[in-house]
Short mmCIF file of all heavy atoms in Angstrom, two decimals:
data_model
loop_
_atom_site.label_atom_id
_atom_site.label_comp_id
_atom_site.label_asym_id
_atom_site.label_seq_id
_atom_site.Cartn_x
_atom_site.Cartn_y
_atom_site.Cartn_z
N VAL A 1447 -26.61 -32.04 0.28
CA VAL A 1447 -25.43 -31.81 1.19
C VAL A 1447 -24.21 -32.41 0.62
O VAL A 1447 -23.17 -31.77 0.69
CB VAL A 1447 -25.81 -32.46 2.61
CG1 VAL A 1447 -24.62 -32.39 3.48
CG2 VAL A 1447 -27.00 -31.77 3.21
N TYR A 1448 -24.34 -33.52 -0.01
CA TYR A 1448 -23.15 -34.22 -0.53
C TYR A 1448 -22.57 -33.31 -1.68
O TYR A 1448 -21.37 -33.11 -1.79
CB TYR A 1448 -23.50 -35.61 -1.06
CG TYR A 1448 -22.42 -36.24 -1.83
CD1 TYR A 1448 -21.27 -36.79 -1.11
CD2 TYR A 1448 -22.36 -36.29 -3.21
CE1 TYR A 1448 -20.25 -37.39 -1.82
CE2 TYR A 1448 -21.31 -36.89 -3.86
CZ TYR A 1448 -20.30 -37.44 -3.17
OH TYR A 1448 -19.26 -38.05 -3.88
N GLU A 1449 -23.44 -32.80 -2.55
CA GLU A 1449 -23.06 -32.00 -3.67
C GLU A 1449 -22.44 -30.65 -3.12
O GLU A 1449 -21.40 -30.18 -3.65
CB GLU A 1449 -24.27 -31.67 -4.58
CG GLU A 1449 -23.86 -31.46 -5.99
CD GLU A 1449 -25.00 -31.39 -6.90
OE1 GLU A 1449 -25.66 -32.31 -7.09
OE2 GLU A 1449 -25.19 -30.22 -7.38
N HIS A 1450 -23.03 -30.13 -2.11
CA HIS A 1450 -22.49 -28.84 -1.56
C HIS A 1450 -21.09 -29.12 -0.98
O HIS A 1450 -20.20 -28.33 -1.12
CB HIS A 1450 -23.53 -28.38 -0.48
CG HIS A 1450 -23.10 -27.07 0.11
ND1 HIS A 1450 -22.99 -25.90 -0.60
CD2 HIS A 1450 -22.72 -26.72 1.40
CE1 HIS A 1450 -22.60 -24.93 0.18
NE2 HIS A 1450 -22.43 -25.43 1.38
N ARG A 1451 -20.95 -30.24 -0.29
CA ARG A 1451 -19.70 -30.59 0.31
C ARG A 1451 -18.65 -30.75 -0.78
O ARG A 1451 -17.50 -30.36 -0.67
CB ARG A 1451 -19.83 -31.82 1.15
CG ARG A 1451 -18.57 -32.17 1.85
CD ARG A 1451 -18.78 -33.41 2.75
NE ARG A 1451 -17.51 -33.78 3.34
CZ ARG A 1451 -17.13 -34.97 3.53
NH1 ARG A 1451 -17.90 -35.98 3.20
NH2 ARG A 1451 -15.93 -35.20 4.02
N SER A 1452 -19.06 -31.43 -1.83
CA SER A 1452 -18.17 -31.69 -2.98
C SER A 1452 -17.69 -30.38 -3.58
O SER A 1452 -16.54 -30.16 -3.88
CB SER A 1452 -18.90 -32.61 -3.96
OG SER A 1452 -18.11 -32.72 -5.12
N ARG A 1453 -18.57 -29.42 -3.76
CA ARG A 1453 -18.22 -28.11 -4.30
C ARG A 1453 -17.31 -27.36 -3.39
O ARG A 1453 -16.28 -26.73 -3.80
CB ARG A 1453 -19.52 -27.26 -4.51
CG ARG A 1453 -19.98 -27.43 -5.91
CD ARG A 1453 -21.09 -26.43 -6.22
NE ARG A 1453 -22.36 -27.11 -6.12
CZ ARG A 1453 -23.53 -26.65 -5.66
NH1 ARG A 1453 -23.60 -25.41 -5.25
NH2 ARG A 1453 -24.54 -27.38 -5.66
N LEU A 1454 -17.60 -27.45 -2.08
CA LEU A 1454 -16.71 -26.78 -1.08
C LEU A 1454 -15.35 -27.40 -1.10
O LEU A 1454 -14.35 -26.66 -1.01
CB LEU A 1454 -17.30 -26.91 0.34
CG LEU A 1454 -18.52 -26.00 0.66
CD1 LEU A 1454 -19.00 -26.28 2.06
CD2 LEU A 1454 -18.03 -24.55 0.53
N GLU A 1455 -15.21 -28.71 -1.21
CA GLU A 1455 -13.91 -29.32 -1.28
C GLU A 1455 -13.16 -28.93 -2.47
O GLU A 1455 -11.96 -28.69 -2.45
CB GLU A 1455 -14.00 -30.89 -1.12
CG GLU A 1455 -14.31 -31.40 0.22
CD GLU A 1455 -14.46 -32.83 0.31
OE1 GLU A 1455 -14.17 -33.57 -0.72
OE2 GLU A 1455 -14.84 -33.38 1.39
N ARG A 1456 -13.82 -28.87 -3.61
CA ARG A 1456 -13.13 -28.45 -4.87
C ARG A 1456 -12.72 -26.96 -4.73
O ARG A 1456 -11.64 -26.60 -5.19
CB ARG A 1456 -14.12 -28.61 -6.06
CG ARG A 1456 -14.08 -29.98 -6.63
CD ARG A 1456 -14.90 -30.03 -7.83
NE ARG A 1456 -16.27 -29.73 -7.39
CZ ARG A 1456 -17.38 -30.03 -8.04
NH1 ARG A 1456 -17.37 -30.65 -9.21
NH2 ARG A 1456 -18.55 -29.77 -7.55
N SER A 1457 -13.60 -26.20 -4.19
CA SER A 1457 -13.28 -24.76 -3.95
C SER A 1457 -12.08 -24.63 -3.01
O SER A 1457 -11.13 -23.82 -3.25
CB SER A 1457 -14.47 -24.04 -3.39
OG SER A 1457 -14.18 -22.73 -3.17
N LEU A 1458 -12.11 -25.46 -1.96
CA LEU A 1458 -10.91 -25.46 -1.03
C LEU A 1458 -9.68 -25.89 -1.68
O LEU A 1458 -8.57 -25.25 -1.47
CB LEU A 1458 -11.22 -26.34 0.18
CG LEU A 1458 -10.21 -26.42 1.27
CD1 LEU A 1458 -9.99 -25.07 1.93
CD2 LEU A 1458 -10.57 -27.43 2.32
N GLN A 1459 -9.73 -26.88 -2.58
CA GLN A 1459 -8.54 -27.39 -3.28
C GLN A 1459 -8.04 -26.32 -4.23
O GLN A 1459 -6.81 -26.03 -4.32
CB GLN A 1459 -8.83 -28.67 -4.11
CG GLN A 1459 -8.98 -29.90 -3.32
CD GLN A 1459 -7.61 -30.31 -2.73
OE1 GLN A 1459 -6.82 -29.49 -2.28
NE2 GLN A 1459 -7.41 -31.61 -2.69
N LYS A 1460 -9.01 -25.62 -4.89
CA LYS A 1460 -8.62 -24.56 -5.82
C LYS A 1460 -8.02 -23.46 -5.02
O LYS A 1460 -6.95 -22.90 -5.44
CB LYS A 1460 -9.90 -24.12 -6.50
CG LYS A 1460 -9.62 -23.13 -7.62
CD LYS A 1460 -10.95 -22.74 -8.31
CE LYS A 1460 -10.70 -21.66 -9.30
NZ LYS A 1460 -11.97 -21.14 -9.89
N GLU A 1461 -8.54 -23.09 -3.84
CA GLU A 1461 -7.97 -22.00 -3.02
C GLU A 1461 -6.59 -22.42 -2.54
O GLU A 1461 -5.68 -21.60 -2.49
CB GLU A 1461 -8.86 -21.72 -1.85
CG GLU A 1461 -10.15 -20.94 -2.17
CD GLU A 1461 -9.85 -19.49 -2.61
OE1 GLU A 1461 -8.87 -18.89 -2.03
OE2 GLU A 1461 -10.46 -19.00 -3.48
N ARG A 1462 -6.46 -23.65 -2.17
CA ARG A 1462 -5.10 -24.12 -1.70
C ARG A 1462 -4.10 -24.05 -2.83
O ARG A 1462 -2.92 -23.64 -2.62
CB ARG A 1462 -5.18 -25.58 -1.19
CG ARG A 1462 -5.79 -25.71 0.22
CD ARG A 1462 -5.77 -27.14 0.69
NE ARG A 1462 -6.28 -27.21 2.04
CZ ARG A 1462 -6.77 -28.28 2.59
NH1 ARG A 1462 -6.79 -29.43 1.88
NH2 ARG A 1462 -7.25 -28.28 3.82
N GLY A 1463 -4.45 -24.43 -3.99
CA GLY A 1463 -3.60 -24.34 -5.18
C GLY A 1463 -3.20 -22.89 -5.44
O GLY A 1463 -1.98 -22.57 -5.73
N GLU A 1464 -4.24 -22.05 -5.46
CA GLU A 1464 -3.94 -20.64 -5.70
C GLU A 1464 -3.03 -20.02 -4.58
O GLU A 1464 -2.10 -19.26 -4.81
CB GLU A 1464 -5.20 -19.82 -5.76
CG GLU A 1464 -5.98 -20.06 -7.05
CD GLU A 1464 -7.29 -19.29 -7.08
OE1 GLU A 1464 -7.60 -18.57 -6.11
OE2 GLU A 1464 -8.05 -19.48 -8.12
N HIS A 1465 -3.32 -20.48 -3.32
CA HIS A 1465 -2.53 -20.03 -2.19
C HIS A 1465 -1.06 -20.47 -2.36
O HIS A 1465 -0.11 -19.70 -2.12
CB HIS A 1465 -3.13 -20.53 -0.89
CG HIS A 1465 -2.34 -20.14 0.34
ND1 HIS A 1465 -2.26 -18.87 0.75
CD2 HIS A 1465 -1.55 -20.89 1.22
CE1 HIS A 1465 -1.44 -18.82 1.80
NE2 HIS A 1465 -1.06 -20.07 2.16
N LYS A 1466 -0.89 -21.75 -2.76
CA LYS A 1466 0.47 -22.27 -2.93
C LYS A 1466 1.20 -21.54 -4.04
O LYS A 1466 2.35 -21.17 -3.88
CB LYS A 1466 0.32 -23.82 -3.24
CG LYS A 1466 1.70 -24.49 -3.29
CD LYS A 1466 1.51 -26.00 -3.53
CE LYS A 1466 2.85 -26.67 -3.49
NZ LYS A 1466 2.69 -28.16 -3.77
N LYS A 1467 0.50 -21.27 -5.15
CA LYS A 1467 1.10 -20.55 -6.27
C LYS A 1467 1.44 -19.11 -5.81
O LYS A 1467 2.49 -18.60 -6.14
CB LYS A 1467 0.17 -20.49 -7.46
CG LYS A 1467 0.77 -19.75 -8.65
CD LYS A 1467 0.06 -20.08 -9.95
CE LYS A 1467 0.52 -19.37 -11.16
NZ LYS A 1467 1.80 -18.75 -11.17
N THR A 1468 0.52 -18.46 -5.08
CA THR A 1468 0.80 -17.10 -4.60
C THR A 1468 1.96 -17.13 -3.63
O THR A 1468 2.82 -16.16 -3.69
CB THR A 1468 -0.49 -16.59 -3.89
OG1 THR A 1468 -1.59 -16.64 -4.75
CG2 THR A 1468 -0.30 -15.14 -3.46
N LYS A 1469 2.02 -18.15 -2.83
CA LYS A 1469 3.13 -18.19 -1.87
C LYS A 1469 4.43 -18.39 -2.58
O LYS A 1469 5.47 -17.76 -2.28
CB LYS A 1469 2.86 -19.38 -0.91
CG LYS A 1469 3.78 -19.41 0.27
CD LYS A 1469 3.40 -20.58 1.23
CE LYS A 1469 4.30 -20.54 2.49
NZ LYS A 1469 3.88 -21.60 3.39
N GLU A 1470 4.46 -19.25 -3.61
CA GLU A 1470 5.70 -19.42 -4.40
C GLU A 1470 6.08 -18.10 -5.17
O GLU A 1470 7.26 -17.74 -5.17
CB GLU A 1470 5.54 -20.56 -5.46
CG GLU A 1470 5.50 -21.94 -4.81
CD GLU A 1470 5.14 -23.04 -5.85
OE1 GLU A 1470 4.90 -22.69 -7.06
OE2 GLU A 1470 5.06 -24.21 -5.43
N ASP A 1471 5.06 -17.47 -5.73
CA ASP A 1471 5.31 -16.18 -6.43
C ASP A 1471 5.93 -15.20 -5.47
O ASP A 1471 6.85 -14.44 -5.73
CB ASP A 1471 4.02 -15.63 -7.06
CG ASP A 1471 3.60 -16.42 -8.29
OD1 ASP A 1471 4.44 -17.19 -8.77
OD2 ASP A 1471 2.45 -16.18 -8.70
N PHE A 1472 5.33 -15.20 -4.21
CA PHE A 1472 5.80 -14.22 -3.16
C PHE A 1472 7.24 -14.52 -2.79
O PHE A 1472 8.08 -13.67 -2.64
CB PHE A 1472 4.87 -14.24 -1.95
CG PHE A 1472 5.40 -13.44 -0.84
CD1 PHE A 1472 5.35 -12.03 -0.93
CD2 PHE A 1472 5.99 -14.00 0.28
CE1 PHE A 1472 5.91 -11.28 0.12
CE2 PHE A 1472 6.50 -13.21 1.30
CZ PHE A 1472 6.46 -11.86 1.24
N LEU A 1473 7.56 -15.81 -2.63
CA LEU A 1473 8.95 -16.23 -2.25
C LEU A 1473 9.95 -15.80 -3.36
O LEU A 1473 11.00 -15.29 -3.11
CB LEU A 1473 9.00 -17.72 -1.99
CG LEU A 1473 8.40 -18.13 -0.66
CD1 LEU A 1473 8.43 -19.72 -0.56
CD2 LEU A 1473 9.11 -17.53 0.51
N VAL A 1474 9.52 -16.01 -4.64
CA VAL A 1474 10.36 -15.65 -5.79
C VAL A 1474 10.56 -14.11 -5.77
O VAL A 1474 11.65 -13.59 -5.89
CB VAL A 1474 9.75 -16.11 -7.13
CG1 VAL A 1474 10.45 -15.41 -8.30
CG2 VAL A 1474 9.86 -17.62 -7.26
N TYR A 1475 9.43 -13.36 -5.58
CA TYR A 1475 9.48 -11.86 -5.53
C TYR A 1475 10.38 -11.44 -4.35
O TYR A 1475 11.23 -10.53 -4.52
CB TYR A 1475 8.08 -11.34 -5.35
CG TYR A 1475 8.08 -9.83 -5.05
CD1 TYR A 1475 8.32 -8.90 -6.01
CD2 TYR A 1475 7.82 -9.41 -3.74
CE1 TYR A 1475 8.32 -7.61 -5.72
CE2 TYR A 1475 7.90 -8.08 -3.42
CZ TYR A 1475 8.14 -7.11 -4.46
OH TYR A 1475 8.12 -5.81 -4.14
N LYS A 1476 10.23 -12.10 -3.19
CA LYS A 1476 10.98 -11.72 -1.99
C LYS A 1476 12.51 -11.95 -2.30
O LYS A 1476 13.35 -11.18 -1.97
CB LYS A 1476 10.53 -12.58 -0.82
CG LYS A 1476 11.20 -12.28 0.48
CD LYS A 1476 10.70 -13.11 1.61
CE LYS A 1476 11.49 -12.94 2.85
NZ LYS A 1476 11.05 -13.81 3.97
N LEU A 1477 12.83 -13.11 -2.91
CA LEU A 1477 14.22 -13.45 -3.22
C LEU A 1477 14.79 -12.42 -4.19
O LEU A 1477 15.92 -11.91 -4.01
CB LEU A 1477 14.32 -14.84 -3.78
CG LEU A 1477 15.71 -15.40 -4.04
CD1 LEU A 1477 16.43 -15.52 -2.68
CD2 LEU A 1477 15.68 -16.75 -4.77
N GLU A 1478 14.04 -12.06 -5.29
CA GLU A 1478 14.48 -11.10 -6.21
C GLU A 1478 14.66 -9.71 -5.56
O GLU A 1478 15.65 -9.01 -5.85
CB GLU A 1478 13.50 -11.01 -7.43
CG GLU A 1478 13.50 -12.16 -8.34
CD GLU A 1478 12.44 -12.15 -9.41
OE1 GLU A 1478 11.61 -11.22 -9.35
OE2 GLU A 1478 12.47 -12.99 -10.31
N ALA A 1479 13.69 -9.33 -4.72
CA ALA A 1479 13.82 -8.05 -4.01
C ALA A 1479 15.03 -8.03 -3.13
O ALA A 1479 15.77 -7.00 -3.03
CB ALA A 1479 12.54 -7.79 -3.22
N GLN A 1480 15.29 -9.17 -2.43
CA GLN A 1480 16.44 -9.24 -1.56
C GLN A 1480 17.79 -9.11 -2.36
O GLN A 1480 18.64 -8.41 -1.95
CB GLN A 1480 16.42 -10.58 -0.79
CG GLN A 1480 17.46 -10.70 0.36
CD GLN A 1480 17.14 -9.74 1.48
OE1 GLN A 1480 16.00 -9.46 1.81
NE2 GLN A 1480 18.14 -9.21 2.11
N GLU A 1481 17.80 -9.78 -3.53
CA GLU A 1481 18.97 -9.71 -4.37
C GLU A 1481 19.22 -8.28 -4.78
O GLU A 1481 20.31 -7.77 -4.88
CB GLU A 1481 18.87 -10.69 -5.51
CG GLU A 1481 19.13 -12.14 -5.11
CD GLU A 1481 18.85 -13.09 -6.32
OE1 GLU A 1481 18.53 -12.64 -7.43
OE2 GLU A 1481 18.97 -14.34 -6.08
N ALA A 1482 18.10 -7.67 -5.33
CA ALA A 1482 18.21 -6.30 -5.77
C ALA A 1482 18.64 -5.36 -4.61
O ALA A 1482 19.48 -4.48 -4.84
CB ALA A 1482 16.86 -5.88 -6.32
N LEU A 1483 18.13 -5.57 -3.44
CA LEU A 1483 18.45 -4.78 -2.32
C LEU A 1483 19.96 -4.97 -1.95
O LEU A 1483 20.69 -3.97 -1.71
CB LEU A 1483 17.58 -5.12 -1.13
CG LEU A 1483 17.78 -4.30 0.16
CD1 LEU A 1483 17.42 -2.84 -0.13
CD2 LEU A 1483 17.04 -4.89 1.27
N ASN A 1484 20.39 -6.19 -1.98
CA ASN A 1484 21.82 -6.52 -1.70
C ASN A 1484 22.70 -5.81 -2.74
O ASN A 1484 23.77 -5.24 -2.44
CB ASN A 1484 22.07 -8.03 -1.64
CG ASN A 1484 21.52 -8.63 -0.35
OD1 ASN A 1484 21.26 -7.95 0.64
ND2 ASN A 1484 21.30 -9.94 -0.40
N LYS A 1485 22.29 -6.00 -4.03
CA LYS A 1485 23.11 -5.31 -5.07
C LYS A 1485 23.17 -3.81 -4.89
O LYS A 1485 24.21 -3.23 -5.02
CB LYS A 1485 22.47 -5.72 -6.45
CG LYS A 1485 23.32 -5.22 -7.65
CD LYS A 1485 22.77 -5.65 -8.96
CE LYS A 1485 23.66 -5.33 -10.13
NZ LYS A 1485 23.57 -3.95 -10.49
N GLU A 1486 22.03 -3.23 -4.62
CA GLU A 1486 21.95 -1.78 -4.44
C GLU A 1486 22.80 -1.37 -3.21
O GLU A 1486 23.55 -0.34 -3.20
CB GLU A 1486 20.53 -1.32 -4.23
CG GLU A 1486 20.31 0.19 -4.30
CD GLU A 1486 18.84 0.55 -4.30
OE1 GLU A 1486 18.04 -0.14 -4.93
OE2 GLU A 1486 18.53 1.51 -3.63
N LYS A 1487 22.70 -2.20 -2.13
CA LYS A 1487 23.55 -1.91 -0.96
C LYS A 1487 25.04 -1.98 -1.28
O LYS A 1487 25.74 -1.15 -0.80
CB LYS A 1487 23.10 -2.91 0.13
CG LYS A 1487 23.78 -2.70 1.46
CD LYS A 1487 23.31 -3.70 2.56
CE LYS A 1487 23.93 -3.48 3.81
NZ LYS A 1487 23.53 -4.47 4.85
N GLN A 1488 25.39 -2.97 -2.03
CA GLN A 1488 26.79 -3.15 -2.43
C GLN A 1488 27.30 -1.95 -3.28
O GLN A 1488 28.34 -1.41 -3.00
CB GLN A 1488 27.02 -4.50 -3.19
CG GLN A 1488 28.44 -4.78 -3.49
CD GLN A 1488 29.26 -5.02 -2.24
OE1 GLN A 1488 28.80 -5.58 -1.28
NE2 GLN A 1488 30.52 -4.55 -2.23
N ASP A 1489 26.43 -1.53 -4.22
CA ASP A 1489 26.75 -0.34 -5.06
C ASP A 1489 26.87 0.89 -4.21
O ASP A 1489 27.81 1.65 -4.39
CB ASP A 1489 25.68 -0.13 -6.13
CG ASP A 1489 25.71 -1.23 -7.19
OD1 ASP A 1489 26.70 -1.94 -7.29
OD2 ASP A 1489 24.73 -1.33 -8.00
N SER A 1490 26.01 1.00 -3.22
CA SER A 1490 26.04 2.17 -2.34
C SER A 1490 27.32 2.15 -1.53
O SER A 1490 27.98 3.22 -1.27
CB SER A 1490 24.83 2.21 -1.45
OG SER A 1490 23.63 2.42 -2.19
N MET A 1491 27.67 0.94 -1.02
CA MET A 1491 28.88 0.81 -0.16
C MET A 1491 30.13 1.16 -1.06
O MET A 1491 31.06 1.85 -0.65
CB MET A 1491 29.00 -0.59 0.37
CG MET A 1491 27.97 -0.86 1.45
SD MET A 1491 28.06 0.29 2.84
CE MET A 1491 29.62 -0.17 3.64
N ASN A 1492 30.12 0.70 -2.31
CA ASN A 1492 31.26 1.05 -3.21
C ASN A 1492 31.32 2.51 -3.48
O ASN A 1492 32.42 3.09 -3.45
CB ASN A 1492 31.08 0.27 -4.56
CG ASN A 1492 31.31 -1.21 -4.38
OD1 ASN A 1492 31.93 -1.66 -3.40
ND2 ASN A 1492 30.83 -1.96 -5.34
#
């Protein structure tokens, strides 16, 4: 049980790390997409 719990905690830590990295990647992607959209919107308005 202890070993199983230890694997689960490592797996949870790994999942949290991946989730944090995915979240950061998504925020960067969202920011870039927003900037591109704003630039395209400005070009369209011009």
Side-chain angles (χ1 to χ4, degrees):
V1447 171
Y1448 175 76
E1449 209 172 290
H1450 184 63
R1451 184 175 175 219
S1452 172
R1453 269 191 256 145
L1454 282 177
E1455 283 180 6
R1456 276 185 296 202
S1457 177
L1458 180 63
Q1459 284 293 38
K1460 188 177 175 186
E1461 285 293 322
R1462 282 185 180 157
E1464 286 177 4
H1465 178 68
K1466 188 175 182 182
K1467 180 162 178 19
T1468 304
K1469 192 174 181 180
E1470 287 174 0
D1471 288 347
F1472 174 73
L1473 288 176
V1474 167
Y1475 169 77
K1476 183 180 173 184
L1477 186 63
E1478 288 174 351
Q1480 188 69 33
E1481 287 175 359
L1483 184 65
N1484 286 341
K1485 185 176 186 282
E1486 193 174 320
K1487 186 177 179 182
Q1488 186 64 37
D1489 289 346
S1490 295
M1491 289 303 289
N1492 290 341

